[in-house]
């Protein structure tokens, strides 16, 4: 088991807690159960407040330091890191907006400061536009609030969220508009289906959510935007934090796979008594895997630092963000597959940690932005938009 992260100034996962989280991960996976105990202990340790300013009782971590925490947590329990990381996406999106002069996400920071768990209700079946369009209807209530009706999929933290972001399309005016707001669990109008029975990342319990005229009052409507791509600070804040924190989880998976492979080959010998760790082919494979992970680690580190330091990358931001996420996921899947090959048949057992990682890592291809979507964005940045 890797040691707790100590590089992120202001907060690190307590060593004993990291060990307990790792110990619970197989049970959550086998039972297809939400990581409730992990959440309870991490909340008590201040994890939900790591990105909250120090003056509000948090640790003041920016995106770069939060990504390091997520990478460390993923080495212990990928599903816990991915699921609870959605809370950190919102906290870091709020930091980004505030740093760039906006105040409309202050409530997000306030909720996190009070240890309230934030979640995303964004993804919709068949909606490849993600934040740039919505099949959910947002009906004005006449007082500045809206009622949301629609179906959301992959709703993070469904059993436990305190505050859920929702967005939908208002078609009542001359031009359709996308409305963003926050629901409290006590508001009602929300139904979670018990349908999260997946190949991997089972402890996230990212269940389908049905919104049935769920009411968000005016004071919790944070943004109304045009349909289509936009450089609005809300969209940038969410996009940057989501892509890079998700990428960090998959980098953590890859790092853990390399560690498990190294442990396994060190403990095995060939029939002639030669340690498997001395096999030239094994050494070359492990070296290639380490180099591939180093490359994506540095990419994530550089971009998270650029977000924190408000670098002006202009039109390069989105191609870099989607490309880094896609490369991190593809690299992690390759590393896990090669680690299983190096380790041999013992990795194929259902109780093997590598086998669980092999299932968990495949979830990455389904998170926005997908490989195809990333390729379209990158191609447009080089060749211009399609006619």
């Amino acid at each position: 088991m890797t040691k707790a992260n100590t590089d992120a100034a202001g907060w690190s996962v307590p060593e004993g807690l990291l060990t307990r989280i790792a110990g619970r991960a197989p049970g959550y996976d086998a039972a297809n159960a939400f990581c409730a105990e992990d959440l309870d202990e991490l909340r008590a340790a201040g994890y939900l407040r790591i990105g909250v300013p120090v003056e509000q009782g948090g640790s003041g971590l920016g995106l770069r330091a939060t990504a390091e925490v997520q990478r460390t947590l993923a080495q212990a329990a990928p599903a816990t890191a991915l699921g609870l990381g959605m809370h950190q996406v919102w906290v870091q999106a709020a930091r980004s907006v505030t740093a760039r002069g906006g105040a409309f996400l202050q409530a997000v920071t306030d909720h996190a400061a009070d240890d309230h768990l934030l979640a995303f209700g964004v993804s919709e079946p068949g909606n490849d536009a993600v934040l740039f369009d919505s099949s959910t209807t947002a009906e004005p209530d006449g007082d500045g609030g809206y009622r949301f009706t629609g179906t959301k999929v992959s709703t993070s933290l469904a059993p436990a969220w305190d505050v859920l972001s929702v967005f939908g399309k208002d078609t009542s005016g001359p031009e359709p508009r996308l409305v963003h707001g926050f629901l409290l669990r006590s508001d009602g109008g929300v139904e979670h289906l018990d349908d999260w029975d997946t190949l991997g990342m089972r402890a996230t319990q990212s269940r389908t959510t049905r919104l049935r005229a769920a009411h968000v009052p005016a004071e919790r409507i944070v943004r109304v935007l045009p349909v289509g791509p936009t450089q609005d600070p809300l969209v940038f804040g969410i996009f940057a934090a989501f892509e890079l924190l998700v990428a960090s989880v998959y980098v953590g998976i890859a790092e853990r796979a390399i560690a498990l492979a190294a442990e396994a080959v060190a403990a095995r010998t060939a029939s002639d008594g030669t340690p498997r760790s001395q096999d030239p082919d094994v050494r070359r494979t492990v070296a290639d895997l380490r180099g591939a992970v180093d490359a994506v680690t540095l990419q994530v580190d550089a971009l998270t630092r650029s977000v924190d330091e408000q670098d002006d990358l202009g039109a390069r931001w989105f191609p870099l963000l989607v490309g880094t996420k896609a490369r991190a996921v593809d690299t992690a899947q390759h590393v896990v597959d090669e680690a299983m090959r190096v380790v041999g048949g013992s990795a194929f057992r259902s109780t093997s940690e590598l086998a669980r990682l092999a299932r968990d890592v495949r979830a990455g291809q389904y998170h926005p932005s997908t490989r195809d979507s990333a390729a379209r964005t990158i191609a447009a940045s080089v060749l211009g938009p399609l006619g």
Side-chain angles (χ1 to χ4, degrees), residues 104-377:
F104 56 86
L105 287 185
Q106 181 58 45
V108 166
T109 303
D110 295 342
H111 280 301
D114 290 335
D115 281 331
H116 297 162
L117 185 64
L118 293 137
F120 273 90
V122 170
S123 297
E124 297 164 340
N127 179 13
D128 293 334
V130 194
L131 285 170
F132 299 149
D133 202 355
S134 177
S135 58
T136 296
T137 62
E139 181 183 359
D141 66 1
D143 293 318
Y146 287 84
R147 298 187 184 279
F148 293 84
T149 300
T151 299
K152 304 290 186 178
V153 294
S154 298
T155 309
S156 58
L157 307 168
W161 58 262
D162 299 303
V163 184
L164 179 69
S165 72
V166 293
F167 93 122
K169 186 158 57 178
D170 174 12
T171 58
S172 63
E175 297 289 339
R177 303 183 303 167
L178 297 176
V179 182
H180 296 261
F182 289 93
L183 278 166
L184 306 182
R185 197 149 199 125
S186 58
D187 288 336
V190 178
E191 176 192 8
H192 291 301
L193 306 185
D194 189 6
D195 62 348
W196 190 251
D197 188 8
T198 51
L199 179 68
M201 294 295 186
R202 290 159 67 82
T204 66
Q205 287 300 302
S206 302
R207 302 172 183 177
T208 298
T209 298
R210 290 177 179 162
L211 303 176
R212 304 183 186 278
H215 185 238
V216 178
E219 62 269 20
R220 285 194 258 122
I221 298 297
V222 295
R223 216 65 171 159
V224 179
L225 300 172
V227 174
T230 174
Q231 295 284 342
D232 187 84
L234 174 68
V235 173
F236 175 80
I238 293 173
F239 207 83
F242 183 91
E243 297 293 278
L244 296 175
L245 291 181
V246 166
S248 297
V249 168
Y250 288 89
V251 171
I253 291 174
E255 289 179 326
R256 180 60 178 159
I258 292 174
L260 290 171
E263 291 173 9
V265 300
R268 288 184 59 189
T269 56
S271 57
D272 64 358
T274 304
R276 184 155 170 75
S277 61
Q278 299 300 305
D279 184 315
D281 292 332
V282 170
R283 296 178 72 85
R284 176 58 183 269
T285 297
V286 172
D288 287 346
L289 298 183
R290 183 68 258 179
V293 174
D294 286 344
V296 292
T297 300
L298 290 170
Q299 291 175 52
V300 172
D301 187 67
L303 278 183
T304 52
R305 183 172 59 243
S306 286
V307 173
D308 286 342
E309 296 178 359
Q310 301 181 56
D311 290 347
D312 183 8
L313 301 184
R316 291 289 292 144
W317 265 120
F318 286 97
L320 287 170
L321 291 169
V322 299
T324 298
K325 181 267 174 184
R327 285 187 293 274
V329 166
D330 286 349
T331 297
Q333 184 164 322
H334 170 71
V335 167
V336 173
D337 288 348
E338 286 297 290
M340 291 189 71
R341 183 179 66 80
V342 167
V343 170
S346 64
F348 195 59
R349 296 182 180 276
S350 63
T351 54
S352 157
E353 185 177 353
L354 261 177
R356 174 161 50 84
L357 294 185
R359 292 185 290 103
D360 283 348
V361 77
R362 279 161 174 77
Q365 63 190 303
Y366 303 109
H367 311 314
S369 293
T370 63
R371 183 194 297 167
D372 290 345
S373 175
R376 288 193 294 270
T377 299

